[in-house]
């Protein structure tokens, strides 16, 4: 006999879906509204506000800057995070226990404090360019996510396989790239996605580290909201949602979300 779901449980699940999808529907509707102000339900449908985004040089410029900073900082975080996670799992007995906590400090420290410290010590003290300071700040911000996610993948890896390959004459570096890294590929991809999204949406650190003529997309959104109340902001939000969906679709087509969740 097949168990049937209780109607109350079905109704609760529907309410949860409405609660999760409701804000997205409102944002999409506001972005398509044919009015000069934010409103929902939309009064007419138009794509004018999406065109308006690319007509404004400030949004175009900050989009490019945000993607550049997010990509470079995420790659830097992975270059540091992969060997760090490997060492923390491979030599967990020899290394002190507090060492793994050290890489979580950027998450524990408030982003405002971290951003102000980077402003004083790197941008003002060392005189580094704004873009370089942004990359350093975002790298510190996303590094804990890279270390933690990759460490979770390495926690289930059997290092005796690596030892067997080395004992058969394979160089340690080659063994790492041909045996260890392919087995944690899902963790590396998940870390890249999480770090990239965190970096591109950051406000607190970027607010301190941006300078004249150089800004990021979230900071430009805040500046636009202070002066205007048009649906451009909703259109930018929809574009960011579409970007997230595209990234997840690419992962699904190449690896599959079930593979990524391993």
């Amino acid at each position: 006999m097949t168990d049937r779901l209780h109607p109350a449980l079905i109704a609760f699940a529907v309410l949860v879906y409405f609660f999760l999808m409701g804000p997205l529907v409102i944002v999409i509707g506001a972005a398509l509204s044919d009015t000069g102000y934010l409103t929902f339900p939309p009064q007419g449908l138009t794509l004018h506000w999406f065109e308006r985004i690319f007509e404004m040089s400030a949004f175009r410029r900050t989009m490019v800057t945000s993607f550049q900073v997010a990509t470079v900082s995420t790659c830097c975080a992975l270059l540091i995070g992969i060997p760090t996670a490997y060492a923390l799992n491979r030599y967990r007995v020899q290394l002190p226990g507090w060492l793994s906590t050290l890489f979580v400090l950027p998450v524990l420290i408030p982003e405002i404090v971290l951003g102000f410290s980077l402003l004083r010590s790197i941008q003002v003290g060392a005189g580094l360019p704004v873009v370089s300071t942004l990359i350093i700040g975002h790298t510190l911000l996303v590094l804990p996510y890279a270390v933690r996610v990759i460490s979770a993948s390495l926690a289930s890896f059997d290092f005796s396989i690596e030892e067997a390959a080395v004992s058969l004459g394979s160089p340690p570096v080659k063994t790492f790239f041909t045996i260890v890294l392919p087995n944690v590929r899902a963790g590396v991809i998940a870390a890249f996605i999480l770090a990239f999204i965190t970096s591109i949406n950051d406000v607190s650190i970027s607010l301190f580290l941006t300078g004249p003529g150089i800004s990021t997309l979230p900071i430009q959104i805040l500046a636009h909201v202070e002066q205007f109340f048009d649906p451009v902001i909703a259109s930018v939000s929809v574009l960011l949602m579409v970007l997230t969906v595209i990234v997840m679709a690419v992962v699904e087509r190449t690896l599959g979300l079930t593979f990524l969740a391993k």
Side-chain angles (χ1 to χ4, degrees), residues 8-238:
L9 183 60
I10 298 176
F12 179 75
V14 172
L15 290 177
V16 170
Y17 275 109
F18 271 112
F19 176 77
L20 295 175
M21 300 299 297
L24 303 182
V25 174
I26 293 175
V27 171
I28 295 173
L32 297 174
S33 179
D34 190 15
T35 58
Y37 52 90
L38 283 171
T39 182
F40 186 86
Q43 301 177 12
L45 299 177
T46 180
L47 296 177
H48 166 71
W49 301 111
F50 291 94
E51 300 174 358
R52 179 66 177 158
I53 296 173
F54 298 99
E55 292 174 356
M56 301 174 67
S57 60
F59 277 107
R60 295 199 308 267
R61 183 175 63 253
T62 54
M63 279 182 186
V64 174
T65 303
S66 292
F67 280 112
Q68 289 176 343
V69 171
T71 302
V72 175
S73 60
T74 300
C75 292
C76 291
L78 290 180
L79 289 176
I80 301 172
I82 292 175
T84 300
Y86 172 80
L88 291 175
N89 285 269
R90 182 69 173 82
Y91 307 105
R92 67 180 66 182
V93 178
Q94 296 91 329
L95 294 176
W98 55 264
L99 191 60
S100 59
T101 308
L102 181 65
F103 293 94
V104 191
L105 288 180
V107 177
L108 301 179
I109 300 174
E111 291 187 17
I112 294 179
V113 176
L114 182 60
F116 180 73
S117 301
L118 291 171
L119 173 66
R120 289 292 303 273
S121 59
I122 298 179
Q123 192 174 87
V124 177
L128 292 180
V130 174
V131 176
S132 301
T133 312
L134 274 171
I135 292 174
I136 294 174
H138 282 228
T139 301
L140 291 175
L141 175 66
V142 302
L143 180 59
Y145 300 101
V147 173
R148 285 300 182 179
V149 172
I150 298 173
S151 293
S153 296
L154 285 169
S156 59
F157 178 73
D158 187 2
F159 286 98
S160 62
I161 302 175
E162 179 190 18
E163 296 173 356
V166 173
S167 66
L168 293 174
S170 177
V173 176
K174 181 180 178 181
T175 302
F176 176 80
F177 283 101
T178 58
I179 294 179
V180 179
L181 199 57
N183 280 277
V184 296
R185 180 178 58 174
V188 173
I189 296 175
F192 180 89
I193 295 174
L194 181 60
F196 184 85
I197 293 176
T198 302
S199 175
I200 206 170
N201 288 294
D202 175 73
V203 175
S204 301
I205 291 180
S206 301
L207 192 61
F208 283 95
L209 302 182
T210 52
I214 299 177
S215 184
T216 60
L217 184 58
I219 305 303
Q220 179 59 34
I221 290 175
L222 288 177
H224 189 85
V225 169
E226 291 177 353
Q227 303 179 29
F228 305 97
F229 195 66
D230 53 29
V232 168
I233 301 303
S235 301
V236 175
S237 302
V238 172

